[in-house]
Amino acid sequence: MFHLRRISKTIINPRQPRRAVLITSSTKRFQSASAGKSRQGHDCPNCGTPLPTTLPTCTNVGCGYIEPIPKELRSDYYAIFGFPGVRDPEPTRNPFSIDTKALRRQFLDMQKVCHPDRWAQSGKSQAEAAVDQSAQINKAYQTLLSPRLRAEYIIAQHGIDIREADTLENEQELMMEVMEAREELENAEGEQIQKLLAANDERLQNITAELEDAIGKEDWQHARRLVIQLRYWESFQRAGKGMEVDH
Amino acid sequence: MLRSLIRTTPRLSVTRITPSATLARGYHEKVISHYENPRNVGSLPKADSDVGTGLVGAPACGDVMKLQIRVDENGIIKEAKFKTFGCGSAIASSSYMTELVTGMSLEDAGKIKNTEIAKELCLPPVKLHCSMLAEDAIRSAIKDYRTKRSRLSSAASVDAAQPTASASPAA
C-alpha cells in the first residue's frame, strides 16, 4: 500500500525526470555494464518504441504491450533493476555495495509503468502480468534494500543457505553474549533502553561493514557467520523497539 | 516475569493487540497456556557444581534459549529453569521441556525427541524448529553438567595426589 503513496508523489513531481537514474554519475557503471543485458534500450516488439525500463512493459499510449518477467531476469534481482547480474564475473565489483538511491529511483520508475491499477482495465492476461511484475519487483527491491537480505541473496547465489538447524563454530561465545545482552535489555527501562539500542545499532553497522568486506573477498563462510550474527542482533533490536512501544 | 517475557517477544507484542488475542489466531491452546503462564522461568547459579547449563540459539530467527538443570547425586534432575527470548512456540517448548525433565534421570532426559514436544504442543510444521531448539538445549545442559562433573572429579584426584599444590595457590 505504501508504494502507491510514494509513487503518486513521484508522478506529480516535475523535478524528477524519468530516467534520471541513467544519467547520474554514480550509476553510470551499472548502466554501461548492463547494456544489452536488460530490456532497457530494447524496443517494444508490438509498437517499436523504446521500452522505458528493464520490464517487458510498454507505456506508449494505445500499445498495451506487457508480459510476465522472463525467467532469467526474475531470478536475478540485480539484473531486474538494470544492475550487472549477481553472477556476472567482474572481479572489481562488490555486489554488496549498491547505490540504494539509484535502486529506489529505478524501483519507483518500474512500479509506475507496471502498477496493477494502470493495467486493471486492460485484458486479463495483461492485468495478471502487471500484478506479477509489480509483486516480483517489490520482492527484489525489498531484498536488495536490506543489507542482511541482500547479503543472504548474494551468498545463496554461491550455494550457501542458512537453515534452521545450522549452528556456528564458537557458537557458545556468541550465545553467551546475546543472552547477556537480552537479559540486560529485559531489565532496562526508559533511557537505558535507548542506550542499549544505540549501542546495538553501532554493532549492527560494524558487522555490516565487515560483511561487505567479506563479500568483496568472496569469503562466503565468513559472510555466512556474519549474516547469522546480524540475525541475532536484529532480533535484539526488534525486542528493544517493542519495549519502547510498550510504555 | 510474565510481563517481561511478553515484552521480549516482539513478534507477538508489537501489534498492540493483547497477546492472547494475537496468539489465539494461530497457536494451539497448549502453546498459549505455556506462553501466558510459563513454568519454571528463571536461572540457576551457573557456577554450582550440580548445575548444568545449556545455551542454544536458532540462527534462522535469532531466538536464544537457556535451559538449566540441577542434578542430585543419583543422576536425577531435581529442578529445571529456562529463559527464552523468542516466539511463543519457543517459549512454550522450553517451558514444557522443564516440566517434562523434572524428576527424570539424565539418561532419559537425553533421549527426549523434539517430536514429543511438538506433538504435545501441537506445533505446526513451520514451528518445529522451536521444539528442536528445546531438544538441543536439554542435551547441551546435560553435556555441560557431565563435563563439569568429570572436570571436578579429575581435579579432586589431582588434589588427592598432590595435596601441597592446592595448599599454596600464591606460589
Side-chain angles (χ1 to χ4, degrees):
Chain A
M1 227 3 164
F2 69 100
H3 298 310
L4 260 175
R5 228 177 304 132
R6 279 203 226 143
I7 288 156
S8 56
K9 240 185 243 166
T10 337
I11 291 168
I12 56 163
N13 183 356
R15 279 179 306 151
Q16 191 165 38
R18 220 173 51 165
R19 294 248 206 165
V21 60
L22 298 180
I23 50 171
T24 58
S25 59
S26 59
T27 56
K28 235 174 199 161
R29 64 198 176 105
F30 290 136
Q31 208 246 334
S32 59
S34 67
K37 291 223 135 245
S38 67
R39 244 135 293 268
Q40 216 150 10
H42 284 211
D43 293 338
C44 172
N46 188 37
C47 71
T49 53
L51 294 176
T53 70
T54 62
L55 296 170
T57 312
C58 184
T59 49
N60 193 16
V61 182
C63 171
Y65 167 73
I66 184 166
E67 276 181 1
I69 301 175
K71 210 172 150 197
E72 72 280 2
L73 194 60
R74 288 183 92 77
S75 63
D76 194 330
Y77 291 177
Y78 281 75
I80 285 184
F81 294 109
F83 294 173
V86 71
R87 294 181 209 87
D88 287 359
E90 203 184 310
T92 52
R93 187 174 58 94
N94 184 341
F96 188 82
S97 321
I98 61 168
D99 182 344
T100 50
K101 282 199 183 122
L103 171 70
R104 185 176 147 74
R105 279 194 299 270
Q106 184 75 344
F107 168 69
L108 292 176
D109 276 355
M110 290 165 77
Q111 278 296 7
K112 219 167 14 175
V113 306
C114 74
H115 200 282
D117 287 353
R118 184 184 188 137
W119 295 90
Q121 305 303 318
S122 311
K124 187 168 176 261
S125 70
Q126 288 159 305
E128 278 172 8
V131 169
D132 169 77
Q133 288 190 0
S134 179
Q136 191 61 23
I137 61 172
N138 257 337
K139 194 170 139 198
Y141 176 67
Q142 297 302 338
T143 303
L144 293 192
L145 191 63
S146 147
R148 175 173 62 80
L149 294 178
R150 191 192 316 145
E152 285 178 15
Y153 175 74
I154 294 166
I155 64 175
Q157 300 302 310
H158 290 87
I160 293 170
D161 275 322
I162 298 162
R163 284 179 291 273
E164 307 277 11
D166 272 4
T167 49
L168 291 170
E169 313 92 76
N170 304 322
E171 192 180 50
Q172 275 307 298
E173 220 171 286
L174 175 66
M175 287 304 94
M176 251 142 70
E177 201 188 336
V178 175
M179 184 52 88
E180 264 172 40
R182 293 296 295 255
E183 284 179 335
E184 197 183 356
L185 178 67
E186 182 189 22
N187 297 319
E189 274 175 11
E191 253 178 61
Q192 260 179 304
I193 300 175
Q194 297 296 332
K195 266 189 200 162
L196 292 174
L197 282 176
N200 191 52
D201 200 48
E202 203 181 317
R203 175 158 42 203
L204 288 169
Q205 282 177 32
N206 290 339
I207 299 173
T208 305
E210 206 181 329
L211 184 57
E212 177 164 18
D213 193 50
I215 290 174
K217 290 177 181 149
E218 305 202 350
D219 186 347
W220 308 125
Q221 287 306 326
H222 189 47
R224 177 181 158 274
R225 282 193 290 276
L226 293 166
V227 163
I228 291 175
Q229 284 181 28
L230 278 183
R231 287 184 176 187
Y232 284 113
W233 296 119
E234 279 179 4
S235 175
F236 178 98
Q237 204 71 1
R238 279 194 303 272
K241 293 248 169 78
M243 289 165 74
E244 283 182 316
V245 174
D246 271 359
H247 56 69
Chain B
M1 196 66 233
L2 175 60
R3 178 172 151 69
S4 67
L5 264 171
I6 291 170
R7 285 199 321 193
T8 52
T9 49
R11 270 160 288 168
L12 298 167
S13 61
V14 287
T15 49
R16 310 273 291 174
I17 303 167
T18 58
S20 55
T22 316
L23 279 163
R25 281 197 303 231
Y27 287 87
H28 193 270
E29 60 183 81
K30 281 173 180 163
V31 174
I32 301 170
S33 156
H34 277 278
Y35 174 75
E36 290 191 328
N37 200 356
R39 281 62 139 179
N40 307 311
V41 174
S43 295
L44 296 171
K46 209 179 158 211
D48 282 12
S49 61
D50 59 348
V51 168
T53 302
L55 192 52
V56 294
C61 50
D63 289 358
V64 279
M65 181 183 288
K66 181 171 79 177
L67 202 149
Q68 293 181 299
I69 49 171
R70 192 188 288 283
V71 186
D72 70 10
E73 55 279 7
N74 301 315
I76 303 294
I77 297 171
K78 285 191 303 187
E79 198 182 359
K81 294 269 186 202
F82 84 95
K83 207 159 207 194
T84 294
F85 296 96
C87 67
S89 299
I91 290 170
S93 294
S94 38
S95 171
Y96 176 62
M97 181 61 99
T98 57
E99 268 193 333
L100 193 63
V101 298
T102 305
M104 252 188 200
S105 69
L106 286 178
E107 203 184 328
D108 288 344
K111 283 184 201 151
I112 296 171
K113 284 268 174 290
N114 79 294
T115 44
E116 268 175 73
I117 314 269
K119 203 175 158 198
E120 167 68 22
L121 298 173
C122 305
L123 295 181
V126 57
K127 287 291 175 186
L128 278 183
H129 70 277
C130 299
S131 59
M132 212 105 81
L133 204 56
E135 181 190 315
D136 288 348
I138 186 68
R139 293 242 170 104
S140 162
I142 294 169
K143 195 175 150 205
D144 179 60
Y145 171 79
R146 288 196 167 132
T147 315
K148 209 182 235 179
R149 296 308 285 189
S150 66
R151 208 186 304 129
L152 280 174
S153 63
S154 64
S157 59
V158 169
D159 281 354
Q162 298 169 308
T164 48
S166 58
S168 54

